[in-house]
Amino acid sequence: MLELLLALWPLFALIVAGYYLRRLEFPNEAFWPGAERLNYFILFPALLFSSLATAPLDNPALPRLALAVMLGLGLAWLALLLLRRLRGWRAARFGAFTQGALRFNTYLGLAAVASLFGQEGLTLAALMLALMVPTVNVLSVWSLTAERGISTRSLLLPILKNPLILACLGGALVNLGGLGLPGGSGRLLSLLAAASLPLGLLCVGAALKPEQLGGELPALAGNSLLRLLAMPLLAWAMARGLQLPAMESTVLVLFFALPTAPTAYVLTRQLGGDSQLMAGLITLQTLLAAASLPLLLTLLAI
């Protein structure tokens, strides 16, 4: 437990720092949207690209890890569809609950994996992202537009243009082609990648909105329990059933235990979902994850 706390507390300290920096208007309000765009389109893709371009892809556990990821997401999606039918949620609300249960804070996840396992863990996490990011994005968009319908083109085009997905695909192609990262390009990418995680965590804190926690505490608490407790328990069961090695199991459970992504708020607003509910879910889950992440990883003893 102490080892996990020592690895994880600096990450949450950066989130808290980002929250207070924005409230103090330092450096100024215009800084944060620009920082988020810089990270999303350049720094973070550099991390994913370089991780996959040089990754050993002969790990025999990778097919089982991929199966665990897709099975876990599939079972969670079926449970959400059942809850929607039972509770009669409209798309605006269902979309927020879906993102609260399925989406994950990528910056926090990769920073935690890097703290626990270094480059080897980052490689596994990048491979998982190549599967999880497009799947979760498709489900999120569909859930927010379920009542009015959406064309296949409109559903898939944002996925195909996603810089994180493109970085994963590009890194994998470079790896499989045996091209490597010659001429100092690897060093350039590592410099860009080094800035991505701390800046991303500061931006996560800057996006928190505690004022949105007052209205729907039962709904917020229920969805947070689903994301922070039920999802990692499902991942743990998948890891045990498929006999994944210790590191692969930990990375899988960690990603299923992460709070939802701050970018879910932007998508919810763009597609007419319940943005106030989404902001509350992001804030509550991020705050609770400071305690739930180390506790879960310790209790599950993986």
Side-chain angles (χ1 to χ4, degrees):
M1 181 67 166
L2 179 61
E3 182 181 348
L4 282 168
L5 288 174
L6 290 175
L8 296 177
W9 82 260
L11 313 183
F12 287 97
L14 282 172
I15 292 174
V16 172
Y19 172 78
Y20 281 106
L21 285 173
R22 186 161 194 172
R23 271 41 185 191
L24 294 171
E25 298 184 358
F26 180 85
N28 55 54
E29 186 62 28
F31 169 80
W32 297 104
E36 289 174 3
R37 287 180 59 81
L38 174 67
N39 213 11
Y40 185 70
F41 286 100
I42 297 178
L43 302 181
F44 203 43
L47 172 64
L48 296 176
F49 183 93
S50 59
S51 295
L52 285 177
T54 57
L57 299 180
D58 56 353
N59 185 337
L62 287 182
R64 285 179 286 153
L65 180 61
L67 178 60
V69 167
M70 300 311 291
L71 278 177
L73 290 177
L75 290 173
W77 175 241
L78 291 176
L80 285 165
L81 290 175
L82 179 60
L83 282 172
R84 183 195 181 203
R85 178 176 290 273
L86 293 174
R87 303 299 296 272
W89 291 328
R90 297 185 64 81
R93 196 167 180 82
F94 178 54
F97 283 138
T98 294
Q99 293 185 91
L102 297 185
R103 294 192 74 166
F104 50 92
N105 191 318
T106 314
Y107 299 135
L108 179 56
L110 287 183
V113 169
S115 295
L116 293 170
F117 300 113
Q119 186 57 46
E120 189 178 2
L122 280 176
T123 298
L124 280 177
L127 290 166
M128 285 178 57
L129 289 180
L131 292 173
M132 295 178 75
V133 169
T135 303
V136 169
N137 274 274
V138 167
L139 295 178
S140 298
V141 172
W142 187 90
S143 66
L144 284 163
T145 58
E147 288 168 356
R148 60 182 184 271
I150 187 170
S151 67
T152 303
R153 181 178 182 276
S154 300
L155 187 65
L156 295 180
L157 189 60
I159 310 302
L160 298 175
K161 294 166 62 177
N162 186 304
L164 308 187
I165 297 171
L166 293 176
C168 289
L169 290 175
L173 288 174
V174 166
N175 190 316
L176 294 172
L179 302 176
L181 297 174
S185 58
R187 177 60 179 158
L188 172 62
L189 289 172
S190 69
L191 289 171
L192 293 171
S196 67
L197 294 179
L199 181 60
L201 293 173
L202 288 171
C203 290
V204 169
L208 295 181
K209 300 182 179 182
E211 66 275 10
Q212 302 288 357
L213 293 177
E216 297 194 67
L217 279 179
L220 295 175
N223 190 264
S224 297
L225 283 173
L226 179 61
R227 177 65 212 173
L228 301 178
L229 181 60
M231 289 293 287
L233 287 175
L234 174 62
W236 176 78
M238 293 291 172
R240 292 291 295 270
L242 293 170
Q243 298 182 327
L244 290 176
M247 183 173 67
E248 284 79 355
S249 296
T250 303
V251 173
L252 177 69
V253 171
L254 191 152
F255 264 84
F256 273 64
L258 292 170
T260 190
T263 50
Y265 179 77
V266 178
L267 182 65
T268 303
R269 287 196 63 179
Q270 287 177 340
L271 297 181
D274 190 335
S275 57
Q276 183 174 349
L277 175 62
M278 194 70 250
L281 288 171
I282 293 166
T283 300
L284 182 61
Q285 289 187 20
T286 303
L287 294 174
L288 291 177
S292 66
L293 270 179
L295 185 61
L296 269 170
L297 293 177
T298 301
L299 290 177
L300 295 179
I302 52 178

